[in-house]
Amino acid sequence: MNTFLKISLGFVLGVVSTIGVLYIIAATQNTEENQLREEIRMKALKNLNQSLGDFDEDGQRNIQSFELTTKKGIVKLHTYMPKDSVQILMGRPQSTDINDYGYGEAHETWKYKGTNKYVDEFTIEFINGKLKSVNQFKDH
């Protein structure tokens, strides 16, 4: 009987020790995984922040709206709009110009004719595929 108690006590202590070790390993691994997740999350946020660009002092994005009167009617554009959205609204540009100055920025300029068929009425500028500015020629 004494031997049975020793074996039982040894078994119980072995199980408790194993559970304790597994708990400690899981807690440590979870902490390392959380740190890795947090690092990845911060890198992703930093990359997103850089890709959006142009924030004011308060960390807010400086978005400007443009309302253009075209042959098709009134078109509303805003800064940071993707090129394909602008093309859907404005149609195919009459001319395009692409410049890559190095520095990781691709500048693209699209020109559209308006009611005056001799003058480019709208000049739309993009940086890295996002609308930066709109200029409208007005004949007064």
Side-chain angles (χ1 to χ4, degrees):
M1 184 78 171
N2 195 8
T3 307
F4 178 74
L5 287 175
K6 289 179 183 178
I7 293 174
S8 298
L9 183 60
F11 178 76
V12 169
L13 287 174
V15 169
V16 169
S17 299
T18 303
I19 291 173
V21 168
L22 290 176
Y23 177 77
I24 291 170
I25 290 173
T28 305
Q29 184 178 12
N30 190 21
T31 303
E32 290 173 1
E33 286 177 6
N34 285 341
Q35 287 175 345
L36 183 59
R37 281 188 184 125
E38 186 65 22
E39 287 176 20
I40 291 170
R41 186 176 149 286
M42 293 306 290
K43 285 180 184 177
L45 286 173
K46 184 178 178 183
N47 290 340
L48 180 64
N49 197 12
Q50 287 175 347
S51 68
L52 294 176
D54 289 347
F55 287 86
D56 63 11
E57 304 84 37
D58 300 328
Q60 298 295 318
R61 200 165 191 196
N62 184 13
I63 297 180
Q64 297 175 351
S65 296
F66 308 99
E67 194 170 284
L68 308 176
T69 305
T70 66
K71 295 177 191 175
K72 297 179 179 181
I74 295 176
V75 175
K76 291 185 180 182
L77 304 176
H78 60 82
T79 51
Y80 308 105
M81 184 180 256
K83 289 190 313 185
D84 57 349
S85 297
V86 173
Q87 188 169 5
I88 288 170
L89 293 171
M90 294 289 293
R92 188 175 183 156
Q94 269 68 40
S95 67
T96 60
D97 182 34
I98 301 172
N99 293 312
D100 186 3
Y101 298 114
Y103 313 113
E105 287 188 352
H107 293 254
E108 192 167 348
T109 304
W110 291 3
K111 295 189 178 187
Y112 290 91
K113 300 273 188 223
T115 53
N116 184 340
K117 62 182 178 179
Y118 301 109
V119 177
D120 290 329
E121 187 171 349
F122 303 108
T123 303
I124 300 176
E125 296 179 18
F126 299 92
I127 295 180
N128 293 333
K130 303 287 183 192
L131 180 64
K132 182 66 177 174
S133 66
V134 174
N135 295 316
Q136 183 173 8
F137 174 79
K138 296 241 183 190
D139 188 21
H140 293 291

